[in-house]
Amino acid sequence: MTTESVDVLVIGAGPSGCVSASYLYNNGVSVKVVEKTKFPRLVVGESLIPRVMDHFAEVGLFPALDAMNFEKKLGARFIRGEEICVFDFSDKYSEGWDWTWQVPRADFDNTLAQEVIKKGVDLEFESEVISVSFEGKNSTTVIKDKDGNLKEIKAKFIIDSSGYGRVLPRLLDLDTPSKLDPHSSIFTHVKDVNRPEGEEGTLISFDILETEVWLWVIPFSNGNTSLGVVGPTTFINSLSDKSNADALRNAIQLSDYYIKRFGNVDFLFEPVKLENYSRSVKKMYGDGFALTGNSSEFLDPVFSSGVAFATESGILAAKLIHKELKGATVDWETEFTGYMKSGIGVFTTYVKEWYTGNLQTLFFHQPENPDVKRKICAVLAGYVWDDTNPFVKKHDNVIKNMAHMINMEKEV
């Protein structure tokens, strides 16, 4: 068995892994990335939020992504029957990017990975982690390539960016139940042959079919569109006992807004079902390792926060590791877990209040309150660490309290 030695081993070549590897390489740290699959590959999480742009720009990956001409996402639209609420990222409370992208993740992730390779990072595809052992903070990881050959990788630190593969949570028994109720989704891509001209054809939309059930529509610049339905697992399972395709078609039939556009289009691949997708862990770091992205926490796709938390945790872990490798002391509990949990906590509240209906009450209240809308928009853009925003600082109570006041006014 051959042996390699690096400062940092990154497991997974998705956005989190590429951002962390790029940061480390830029700062002279020896890094190796191992990825179980072959790129390009299908993955969900096609709608980004502006906060991710800070990370791509900081580590030098933005130009390669920008050259791909992905569909620009300037905001998001929420539909409930005849009610419509549109958020414009250029009109938000916090400073930050005013736009991001809607992306086929197969192309997006492959662009990231190829750019990281161009930088000089050693990225090995089709290599699966078999085992990991630690001696203090030093680790020995055994990987198996596509031909069945085994290799040892010795590292001073591991960043687990394996996403739903959840390598270290599985191997180290770190999984724990999510605090969110069980929800599931079914999604596919379609050739958007009925796409309208102009903004209507490119705008990402969330069509609320019931309080806890919604359809996503994410148009891409290549003429295809991602369609998905999300709801309580019991509801998703009740859509059809035949196939995922039949279930998704039945969900589309429930949409008055989109039935004409998507009611009879062909699916480009058999719809994929993600059941009980929310995830959590007992801890986000340990001696010699850190968990980033979906390897640690995944909340819900409703506000497209997945990739943003992946890159936020990826670049933060890389910075703290770099700091530690230079001999500085790092308080991982405060600087990593505490920081990430504060942002995750804000988004968790918004997800919970979405499904209670309280947040929807604020979204669709008329007349609109521009100040409230701008503050909520900053949260939806991913700026959930801005404590000057009361909708961040007081997230535990502000949504339910305002929804209660609105409902009381309606009763009066």
Side-chain angles (χ1 to χ4, degrees), residues 15-27 52-65 112 115-116 119 121 311 314-316 318-319:
S16 178
C18 284
V19 164
S20 58
S22 186
Y23 179 88
L24 291 166
Y25 184 84
N26 292 347
N27 285 276
V52 302
M53 310 298 272
D54 295 290
H55 308 137
F56 295 138
E58 183 174 351
V59 300
L61 295 173
F62 175 84
L65 294 171
L112 283 173
E115 188 64 18
V116 166
K119 281 176 172 283
V121 174
T311 55
I315 196 170
L316 178 58
K319 288 178 177 179

Short mmCIF file of all heavy atoms in Angstrom, two decimals, residues 15-27 52-65 112 115-116 119 121 311 314-316 318-319:
data_model
loop_
_atom_site.label_atom_id
_atom_site.label_comp_id
_atom_site.label_asym_id
_atom_site.label_seq_id
_atom_site.Cartn_x
_atom_site.Cartn_y
_atom_site.Cartn_z
N PRO A 15 -18.77 22.36 -3.56
CA PRO A 15 -18.42 23.77 -3.29
C PRO A 15 -17.63 23.97 -2.00
O PRO A 15 -16.66 24.73 -1.96
CB PRO A 15 -19.78 24.46 -3.23
CG PRO A 15 -20.65 23.63 -4.13
CD PRO A 15 -20.19 22.22 -3.92
N SER A 16 -18.03 23.28 -0.93
CA SER A 16 -17.32 23.44 0.34
C SER A 16 -15.89 22.95 0.24
O SER A 16 -14.94 23.64 0.65
CB SER A 16 -18.05 22.67 1.45
OG SER A 16 -17.36 22.79 2.67
N GLY A 17 -15.70 21.76 -0.33
CA GLY A 17 -14.36 21.21 -0.47
C GLY A 17 -13.47 22.04 -1.37
O GLY A 17 -12.28 22.25 -1.07
N CYS A 18 -14.03 22.55 -2.47
CA CYS A 18 -13.23 23.35 -3.41
C CYS A 18 -12.85 24.69 -2.81
O CYS A 18 -11.73 25.18 -3.01
CB CYS A 18 -14.00 23.54 -4.72
SG CYS A 18 -14.00 22.07 -5.77
N VAL A 19 -13.77 25.31 -2.08
CA VAL A 19 -13.46 26.60 -1.46
C VAL A 19 -12.39 26.43 -0.39
O VAL A 19 -11.42 27.22 -0.32
CB VAL A 19 -14.74 27.24 -0.87
CG1 VAL A 19 -14.40 28.35 0.11
CG2 VAL A 19 -15.62 27.78 -1.99
N SER A 20 -12.52 25.41 0.46
CA SER A 20 -11.53 25.22 1.52
C SER A 20 -10.17 24.84 0.93
O SER A 20 -9.13 25.35 1.37
CB SER A 20 -12.01 24.17 2.52
OG SER A 20 -12.27 22.94 1.89
N ALA A 21 -10.16 23.94 -0.07
CA ALA A 21 -8.90 23.54 -0.69
C ALA A 21 -8.22 24.71 -1.38
O ALA A 21 -7.00 24.87 -1.32
CB ALA A 21 -9.14 22.40 -1.68
N SER A 22 -9.02 25.54 -2.05
CA SER A 22 -8.47 26.69 -2.75
C SER A 22 -7.85 27.68 -1.77
O SER A 22 -6.75 28.20 -2.00
CB SER A 22 -9.57 27.37 -3.58
OG SER A 22 -9.04 28.40 -4.38
N TYR A 23 -8.53 27.93 -0.66
CA TYR A 23 -7.99 28.86 0.33
C TYR A 23 -6.66 28.34 0.89
O TYR A 23 -5.68 29.08 1.00
CB TYR A 23 -8.98 29.06 1.48
CG TYR A 23 -8.44 29.99 2.55
CD1 TYR A 23 -8.62 31.36 2.45
CD2 TYR A 23 -7.70 29.50 3.63
CE1 TYR A 23 -8.09 32.23 3.40
CE2 TYR A 23 -7.16 30.35 4.57
CZ TYR A 23 -7.36 31.71 4.46
OH TYR A 23 -6.82 32.57 5.39
N LEU A 24 -6.65 27.05 1.23
CA LEU A 24 -5.43 26.48 1.80
C LEU A 24 -4.28 26.53 0.80
O LEU A 24 -3.14 26.91 1.14
CB LEU A 24 -5.70 25.04 2.25
CG LEU A 24 -6.63 24.89 3.46
CD1 LEU A 24 -7.09 23.45 3.61
CD2 LEU A 24 -5.93 25.37 4.73
N TYR A 25 -4.55 26.15 -0.44
CA TYR A 25 -3.50 26.16 -1.48
C TYR A 25 -2.98 27.57 -1.70
O TYR A 25 -1.76 27.79 -1.83
CB TYR A 25 -4.06 25.58 -2.77
CG TYR A 25 -3.02 25.47 -3.86
CD1 TYR A 25 -2.17 24.36 -3.93
CD2 TYR A 25 -2.88 26.48 -4.82
CE1 TYR A 25 -1.20 24.27 -4.93
CE2 TYR A 25 -1.92 26.39 -5.82
CZ TYR A 25 -1.09 25.29 -5.87
OH TYR A 25 -0.13 25.19 -6.85
N ASN A 26 -3.89 28.54 -1.73
CA ASN A 26 -3.49 29.94 -1.93
C ASN A 26 -2.55 30.41 -0.82
O ASN A 26 -1.75 31.34 -1.03
CB ASN A 26 -4.72 30.85 -1.95
CG ASN A 26 -5.59 30.64 -3.17
OD1 ASN A 26 -5.19 29.98 -4.12
ND2 ASN A 26 -6.80 31.18 -3.13
N ASN A 27 -2.66 29.78 0.35
CA ASN A 27 -1.86 30.21 1.50
C ASN A 27 -0.70 29.26 1.81
O ASN A 27 -0.19 29.23 2.93
CB ASN A 27 -2.76 30.36 2.73
CG ASN A 27 -3.61 31.62 2.67
OD1 ASN A 27 -3.16 32.70 3.02
ND2 ASN A 27 -4.84 31.49 2.18
N VAL A 52 -22.73 33.38 -0.88
CA VAL A 52 -21.71 32.48 -1.44
C VAL A 52 -20.73 33.22 -2.33
O VAL A 52 -19.58 32.80 -2.47
CB VAL A 52 -22.33 31.31 -2.24
CG1 VAL A 52 -23.28 30.50 -1.41
CG2 VAL A 52 -23.01 31.80 -3.51
N MET A 53 -21.16 34.33 -2.91
CA MET A 53 -20.30 35.05 -3.84
C MET A 53 -19.07 35.62 -3.14
O MET A 53 -17.98 35.71 -3.72
CB MET A 53 -21.09 36.16 -4.53
CG MET A 53 -22.42 35.70 -5.14
SD MET A 53 -22.21 34.47 -6.43
CE MET A 53 -22.01 35.53 -7.85
N ASP A 54 -19.24 36.01 -1.88
CA ASP A 54 -18.10 36.48 -1.08
C ASP A 54 -17.01 35.41 -1.02
O ASP A 54 -15.82 35.71 -1.12
CB ASP A 54 -18.56 36.84 0.34
CG ASP A 54 -19.53 38.00 0.37
OD1 ASP A 54 -19.09 39.13 0.10
OD2 ASP A 54 -20.71 37.79 0.66
N HIS A 55 -17.43 34.17 -0.84
CA HIS A 55 -16.47 33.08 -0.67
C HIS A 55 -15.76 32.75 -1.98
O HIS A 55 -14.53 32.58 -2.00
CB HIS A 55 -17.18 31.84 -0.13
CG HIS A 55 -18.00 32.11 1.09
ND1 HIS A 55 -19.27 31.60 1.28
CD2 HIS A 55 -17.75 32.89 2.18
CE1 HIS A 55 -19.74 32.02 2.44
NE2 HIS A 55 -18.85 32.81 2.99
N PHE A 56 -16.53 32.66 -3.07
CA PHE A 56 -15.91 32.35 -4.37
C PHE A 56 -14.93 33.46 -4.78
O PHE A 56 -13.87 33.17 -5.33
CB PHE A 56 -16.99 32.18 -5.45
CG PHE A 56 -17.90 31.00 -5.22
CD1 PHE A 56 -19.26 31.11 -5.44
CD2 PHE A 56 -17.39 29.79 -4.78
CE1 PHE A 56 -20.11 30.03 -5.22
CE2 PHE A 56 -18.23 28.70 -4.57
CZ PHE A 56 -19.59 28.82 -4.78
N ALA A 57 -15.30 34.70 -4.50
CA ALA A 57 -14.42 35.81 -4.85
C ALA A 57 -13.15 35.79 -4.01
O ALA A 57 -12.04 36.00 -4.52
CB ALA A 57 -15.15 37.14 -4.66
N GLU A 58 -13.28 35.52 -2.72
CA GLU A 58 -12.14 35.56 -1.81
C GLU A 58 -11.07 34.54 -2.16
O GLU A 58 -9.87 34.81 -2.04
CB GLU A 58 -12.59 35.36 -0.36
CG GLU A 58 -11.46 35.46 0.64
CD GLU A 58 -11.92 35.42 2.09
OE1 GLU A 58 -13.14 35.47 2.33
OE2 GLU A 58 -11.05 35.33 2.98
N VAL A 59 -11.49 33.36 -2.62
CA VAL A 59 -10.50 32.30 -2.88
C VAL A 59 -10.11 32.22 -4.36
O VAL A 59 -9.37 31.33 -4.77
CB VAL A 59 -11.00 30.93 -2.40
CG1 VAL A 59 -11.28 30.96 -0.91
CG2 VAL A 59 -12.23 30.47 -3.17
N GLY A 60 -10.61 33.14 -5.18
CA GLY A 60 -10.18 33.21 -6.57
C GLY A 60 -10.92 32.29 -7.53
O GLY A 60 -10.45 32.05 -8.65
N LEU A 61 -12.10 31.80 -7.15
CA LEU A 61 -12.87 30.91 -8.01
C LEU A 61 -13.96 31.63 -8.80
O LEU A 61 -14.56 31.05 -9.71
CB LEU A 61 -13.51 29.78 -7.18
CG LEU A 61 -12.52 28.83 -6.50
CD1 LEU A 61 -13.26 27.87 -5.57
CD2 LEU A 61 -11.72 28.05 -7.54
N PHE A 62 -14.21 32.89 -8.48
CA PHE A 62 -15.30 33.61 -9.13
C PHE A 62 -15.12 33.76 -10.65
O PHE A 62 -16.08 33.53 -11.40
CB PHE A 62 -15.48 34.99 -8.48
CG PHE A 62 -16.51 35.84 -9.18
CD1 PHE A 62 -17.86 35.71 -8.89
CD2 PHE A 62 -16.13 36.78 -10.13
CE1 PHE A 62 -18.81 36.49 -9.53
CE2 PHE A 62 -17.05 37.56 -10.78
CZ PHE A 62 -18.41 37.41 -10.48
N PRO A 63 -13.95 34.14 -11.15
CA PRO A 63 -13.84 34.37 -12.60
C PRO A 63 -14.21 33.15 -13.43
O PRO A 63 -14.88 33.28 -14.46
CB PRO A 63 -12.36 34.75 -12.78
CG PRO A 63 -11.96 35.35 -11.48
CD PRO A 63 -12.70 34.53 -10.45
N ALA A 64 -13.78 31.96 -13.02
CA ALA A 64 -14.10 30.75 -13.78
C ALA A 64 -15.60 30.48 -13.79
O ALA A 64 -16.17 30.07 -14.81
CB ALA A 64 -13.35 29.56 -13.21
N LEU A 65 -16.25 30.73 -12.65
CA LEU A 65 -17.70 30.53 -12.57
C LEU A 65 -18.44 31.56 -13.41
O LEU A 65 -19.39 31.25 -14.12
CB LEU A 65 -18.16 30.60 -11.11
CG LEU A 65 -17.65 29.49 -10.19
CD1 LEU A 65 -17.99 29.82 -8.74
CD2 LEU A 65 -18.26 28.14 -10.58
N LEU A 112 -15.90 24.29 -10.70
CA LEU A 112 -15.12 24.53 -9.48
C LEU A 112 -13.95 23.56 -9.37
O LEU A 112 -12.80 23.96 -9.12
CB LEU A 112 -16.02 24.38 -8.25
CG LEU A 112 -16.98 25.51 -7.91
CD1 LEU A 112 -17.91 25.10 -6.77
CD2 LEU A 112 -16.22 26.77 -7.52
N GLU A 115 -11.17 24.14 -11.89
CA GLU A 115 -10.41 25.35 -11.58
C GLU A 115 -9.44 25.09 -10.42
O GLU A 115 -8.31 25.59 -10.42
CB GLU A 115 -11.35 26.49 -11.24
CG GLU A 115 -10.69 27.84 -11.10
CD GLU A 115 -10.04 28.34 -12.39
OE1 GLU A 115 -10.38 27.83 -13.48
OE2 GLU A 115 -9.20 29.26 -12.32
N VAL A 116 -9.88 24.32 -9.43
CA VAL A 116 -9.01 23.97 -8.32
C VAL A 116 -7.82 23.14 -8.83
O VAL A 116 -6.67 23.34 -8.40
CB VAL A 116 -9.81 23.19 -7.25
CG1 VAL A 116 -8.87 22.53 -6.25
CG2 VAL A 116 -10.76 24.13 -6.52
N LYS A 119 -5.27 25.29 -10.47
CA LYS A 119 -4.44 26.00 -9.50
C LYS A 119 -3.23 25.17 -9.10
O LYS A 119 -2.19 25.71 -8.73
CB LYS A 119 -5.27 26.29 -8.23
CG LYS A 119 -6.21 27.47 -8.30
CD LYS A 119 -7.01 27.55 -7.01
CE LYS A 119 -7.84 28.82 -6.93
NZ LYS A 119 -7.02 30.00 -6.59
N VAL A 121 -3.93 22.08 -7.16
CA VAL A 121 -4.37 21.20 -6.08
C VAL A 121 -4.46 19.76 -6.58
O VAL A 121 -4.96 19.50 -7.68
CB VAL A 121 -5.74 21.66 -5.53
CG1 VAL A 121 -6.27 20.66 -4.51
CG2 VAL A 121 -5.64 23.05 -4.91
N THR A 311 -20.08 26.66 1.91
CA THR A 311 -18.89 27.47 1.63
C THR A 311 -18.48 28.30 2.83
O THR A 311 -17.29 28.53 3.06
CB THR A 311 -19.13 28.38 0.41
OG1 THR A 311 -20.30 29.17 0.61
CG2 THR A 311 -19.30 27.54 -0.85
N GLY A 314 -16.72 25.89 5.01
CA GLY A 314 -15.50 25.44 4.35
C GLY A 314 -14.38 26.45 4.45
O GLY A 314 -13.24 26.09 4.79
N ILE A 315 -14.68 27.69 4.15
CA ILE A 315 -13.62 28.70 4.19
C ILE A 315 -13.21 29.01 5.62
O ILE A 315 -12.04 29.27 5.92
CB ILE A 315 -14.05 29.98 3.43
CG1 ILE A 315 -12.82 30.85 3.13
CG2 ILE A 315 -15.10 30.77 4.19
CD1 ILE A 315 -13.11 32.00 2.18
N LEU A 316 -14.17 28.96 6.56
CA LEU A 316 -13.85 29.21 7.96
C LEU A 316 -12.95 28.10 8.51
O LEU A 316 -11.95 28.39 9.19
CB LEU A 316 -15.13 29.31 8.79
CG LEU A 316 -14.94 29.52 10.29
CD1 LEU A 316 -14.15 30.80 10.56
CD2 LEU A 316 -16.30 29.57 11.00
N ALA A 318 -10.92 26.23 6.84
CA ALA A 318 -9.60 26.39 6.21
C ALA A 318 -8.80 27.50 6.89
O ALA A 318 -7.59 27.34 7.13
CB ALA A 318 -9.77 26.68 4.73
N LYS A 319 -9.45 28.60 7.20
CA LYS A 319 -8.75 29.72 7.85
C LYS A 319 -8.25 29.33 9.24
O LYS A 319 -7.12 29.67 9.63
CB LYS A 319 -9.68 30.93 7.94
CG LYS A 319 -9.94 31.61 6.61
CD LYS A 319 -10.92 32.77 6.77
CE LYS A 319 -11.11 33.49 5.44
NZ LYS A 319 -12.07 34.61 5.54
#
